[in-house]
Amino acid sequence: MHKLFRYDFIYLIPLLLSAIFSLRSFGLKWPKPYRIFSIYLILTLCTEIFAIAWKWYLYKTVYWNYSKSNLWIYNSFHLPRILLFILFYYKMIDSIIIKRNILITGAVLLLFGIIDYLFIQPLHSMNNYTLIFTNIFCVILALLFFRQVLQEKKIIKLSGHPMTWISLGTLLYYAGSLPHFIFFNYLFENYKELALSLLNIHQALNIIMYTSYLIAFLCKPPSAK
Amino acid sequence: MQTSFSEVIFLTILITTILLVLFGCIVISFVFHNQKKRYHHQWEILELQEAFNKTLLQSKLEIQEQTLDHIAKELHANIGHLASLININLSALMPQEPGEIRDNVIETKSLARQLMSELKALSASLNTDHIMHIGIIKALKNELNRLARIKKYEISFTQSGEEYRLPPEHQIILFRLCQEVFNNIVKYAHATKVTASVNYLPADFELEITDNGIGFDVELALNQSAEKASTGLLNIKKRAKLIHAETFFVSKPNAGTTVKLIIPRKNII
């Protein structure tokens, strides 16, 4: 347990809190798409816990002895999480044309992700090709939401709207972590220490993202459309 | 060389990350700034609309008062005069000996006098100057007496607190609002009892009119009033707002109705 008190696990605090508070969306007053996002957060939390547990204890038991690397966990759970994320934005965007494009792009992305996972990149290295494309797609989704806000006739109070905070966190994290993911595998093979030190930037962005998600679920429930 | 290359990569990644995060921050602040501007713009439009509607309502009320004044003066001057002439002619026609004709003429004279009295009362209730002269309490009592003369309602009036003077505009609008409420009672309430109370409290002025009629669904009536753009409850609320009065409607089907008007003392200049 004391291992958890290292600085590189600080991001678990806002993630845990946001997952807990996201359960509020299952109350009657929250629009239904927020439940999808809540499931996404809970799945993310479970992925993180599983990945940490694997690295510390689960990789070697009486019954098995595998590599300590937990990248296969992140690779495996990335696609289901992204599917929930895309579904959430699909529900929240109003434009029918954009919704159709999200579906098509999401389907292509998922297909590519499966092919990348099974055939292109090894299991125990980060599937950064999938990550790069999903990062770009997530940035576009966040920008699409802000575009919708600017075009909407009704003026919404942004600071009190959960979707604003979700998109804010999404935009900052997925845009900021893009250079890191692009270079990660190359750096890990050739400059391991540098790759690991760059993880600090990733942790900082994680903290910003999950804190934004936490603030989103602390807001008053928006009215259902 | 290798160290410097790794430094280059580190710096590249760091700078690119900072630029991308900065881009995100710029987008977000642009959206917030734009929303703030739109919000202020919309607020300004709403304020202008509100001011325009207030001016329009005040103009409407002024025209209404002028029309009522004109009608009051016509009633008093012309129609009242004609009723007096009718009475004078009847006196001239009245036979000296008792008989059926004399009785009929006496009854007709009585009806003519009643007509003159009603005309006088109606003229007084329409005449703005008269209402401002006698004050809201007297005007309200006169209006209640007119209701009592219909012989359908049991009327009661109570007054409490130390009386203080209300501005003339407040008195006129309050009186017209009371007239509207009484009209609604006569038209819709099917009541048998009407109670009016005026409370001069230190913090505010309260006027309450209660009836024991069939009552109504207040929310439904307010919504219908808004949808049909008809005068009525919303009109009462709007006119009350002109004199900074809060209006409260308390009613349930078959449980009577209470209309309460409260003007905070600080709004009574």
Side-chain angles (χ1 to χ4, degrees):
Chain A
M1 189 65 185
H2 66 280
K3 292 184 198 177
L4 269 175
F5 291 107
R6 280 168 41 188
Y7 69 93
D8 41 352
F9 294 120
I10 293 173
Y11 74 95
L12 285 175
I13 300 168
L15 172 57
L16 176 67
L17 289 171
S18 61
I20 291 168
F21 278 98
S22 72
L23 293 170
R24 289 175 79 203
S25 65
F26 287 94
L28 291 167
K29 288 181 185 173
W30 284 78
K32 287 184 182 164
Y34 288 97
R35 293 179 195 179
I36 299 170
F37 199 79
S38 173
I39 297 169
Y40 162 79
L41 282 175
I42 293 166
L43 186 59
T44 306
L45 179 66
C46 295
T47 308
E48 294 291 337
I49 292 169
F50 185 30
I52 294 166
W54 178 269
K55 201 171 173 183
W56 288 351
Y57 312 109
L58 296 175
Y59 73 98
K60 189 179 177 180
T61 65
V62 178
Y63 305 101
W64 62 72
N65 184 1
Y66 292 113
S67 164
K68 214 177 177 183
S69 167
N70 58 7
L71 286 172
W72 68 273
I73 297 169
Y74 288 112
N75 291 336
S76 305
F77 282 95
H78 180 70
L79 289 177
R81 285 169 51 225
I82 279 301
L83 175 67
L84 289 168
F85 194 83
I86 291 169
L87 195 59
F88 170 69
Y89 268 91
Y90 173 79
K91 295 272 185 194
M92 294 306 282
I93 300 284
D94 293 331
S95 166
I96 296 166
I97 299 168
I98 295 174
K99 273 167 120 81
R100 198 180 58 210
N101 288 332
I102 289 172
L103 270 184
I104 295 167
T105 315
V108 168
L109 207 59
L110 281 167
L111 190 64
F112 176 77
I114 293 166
I115 294 168
D116 185 24
Y117 179 76
L118 294 173
F119 304 112
I120 303 175
Q121 290 185 289
L123 200 62
H124 290 289
S125 75
M126 189 180 278
N127 285 4
N128 63 334
Y129 299 157
T130 310
L131 280 170
I132 289 162
F133 289 118
T134 52
N135 270 32
I136 293 168
F137 190 50
C138 290
V139 167
I140 291 169
L141 287 175
L143 289 172
L144 282 172
F145 168 73
F146 287 126
R147 177 178 170 269
Q148 183 173 285
V149 162
L150 289 170
Q151 288 183 336
E152 210 160 317
K153 281 181 191 165
K154 190 181 163 193
I155 297 168
I156 55 170
K157 193 184 169 198
L158 286 178
S159 57
H161 199 272
M163 195 59 195
T164 309
W165 291 101
I166 290 171
S167 298
L168 187 152
T170 302
L171 181 60
L172 291 177
Y173 171 78
Y174 286 102
S177 58
L178 197 56
H180 179 240
F181 287 138
I182 291 170
F183 288 99
F184 186 79
N185 280 346
Y186 169 77
L187 288 173
F188 200 74
E189 281 167 29
N190 300 293
Y191 305 97
K192 195 169 182 176
E193 273 184 33
L194 179 61
L196 293 172
S197 69
L198 281 170
L199 276 174
N200 293 325
I201 302 173
H202 187 249
Q203 304 298 17
L205 291 169
N206 256 333
I207 291 167
I208 293 169
M209 180 175 67
Y210 294 128
T211 308
S212 299
Y213 293 167
L214 171 62
I215 295 169
F217 286 102
L218 291 174
C219 292
K220 233 171 82 169
S223 52
K225 285 185 188 177
Chain B
M1 187 67 181
Q2 214 174 20
T3 314
S4 68
F5 185 64
S6 71
E7 275 175 9
V8 166
I9 295 175
F10 177 77
L11 278 170
T12 309
I13 293 171
L14 185 66
I15 290 166
T16 323
T17 305
I18 290 168
L19 284 173
L20 285 169
V21 169
L22 210 61
F23 164 74
C25 291
I26 289 167
V27 165
I28 291 158
S29 48
F30 171 76
V31 172
F32 269 84
H33 179 71
N34 184 279
Q35 280 294 93
K36 198 174 164 185
K37 259 177 72 179
R38 280 176 69 196
Y39 182 75
H40 279 144
H41 179 66
Q42 197 182 59
W43 188 250
E44 272 170 32
I45 291 173
L46 279 169
E47 274 187 340
L48 281 169
Q49 259 175 0
E50 186 90 16
F52 173 75
N53 287 339
K54 194 176 172 182
T55 310
L56 193 65
L57 186 62
Q58 276 173 333
S59 305
K60 274 185 187 170
L61 289 176
E62 265 174 41
I63 293 168
Q64 186 183 309
E65 289 303 321
Q66 279 172 10
T67 310
L68 290 173
D69 252 350
H70 177 72
I71 293 169
K73 279 158 188 160
E74 283 296 306
L75 276 174
H76 184 74
N78 292 336
I79 299 164
H81 180 64
L82 284 171
S84 299
L85 283 175
I86 290 168
N87 216 1
I88 292 166
N89 282 349
L90 283 169
S91 297
L93 283 171
M94 192 154 66
Q96 295 301 315
E97 289 87 37
E100 199 182 315
I101 297 170
R102 188 187 161 87
D103 291 339
N104 284 342
V105 169
I106 289 170
E107 199 185 321
T108 312
K109 273 172 68 89
S110 164
L111 287 170
R113 271 197 295 275
Q114 210 179 322
L115 172 66
M116 275 164 54
S117 165
E118 286 293 322
L119 278 171
K120 200 176 168 188
L122 182 62
S123 168
S125 81
L126 296 176
N127 191 323
T128 314
D129 292 333
H130 177 73
I131 294 161
M132 286 202 287
H133 178 70
I134 63 172
I136 178 74
I137 301 296
K138 194 88 208 302
L140 192 54
K141 281 181 184 169
N142 288 346
E143 208 56 24
L144 284 166
N145 289 336
R146 278 187 63 222
L147 262 183
R149 280 202 288 275
I150 305 174
K151 291 186 172 46
K152 272 175 76 178
Y153 304 101
E154 193 188 313
I155 307 294
S156 70
F157 177 80
T158 55
Q159 182 182 341
S160 68
E162 199 182 314
E163 192 173 332
Y164 42 79
R165 189 137 179 85
L166 295 172
E169 314 82 51
H170 282 56
Q171 294 194 62
I172 288 295
I173 291 177
L174 269 174
F175 180 70
R176 296 292 177 218
L177 288 171
C178 292
Q179 278 186 318
E180 179 112 20
V181 171
F182 291 141
N183 279 343
N184 287 343
I185 292 171
V186 168
K187 275 199 272 185
Y188 308 117
H190 302 289
T192 54
K193 242 179 164 179
V194 178
T195 311
S197 69
V198 173
N199 300 318
Y200 287 92
L201 299 171
D204 43 48
F205 171 86
E206 290 179 6
L207 195 152
E208 195 175 293
I209 299 171
T210 307
D211 69 73
N212 66 343
I214 58 173
F216 63 98
D217 186 332
V218 176
E219 258 192 62
L220 184 67
L222 281 169
N223 291 337
Q224 280 177 345
S225 190
E227 280 165 13
K228 291 177 189 172
S230 63
T231 58
L233 299 186
L234 278 182
N235 202 14
I236 291 173
K237 274 185 168 282
K238 266 197 280 188
R239 288 197 284 172
K241 255 193 176 164
L242 277 177
I243 53 170
H244 308 289
E246 285 287 335
T247 324
F248 301 97
F249 300 102
V250 178
S251 183
K252 276 182 193 163
N254 301 317
T257 305
T258 300
V259 178
K260 196 168 183 174
L261 293 153
I262 301 175
I263 312 175
R265 189 76 189 270
K266 61 178 179 358
N267 291 336
I268 301 167
I269 313 158

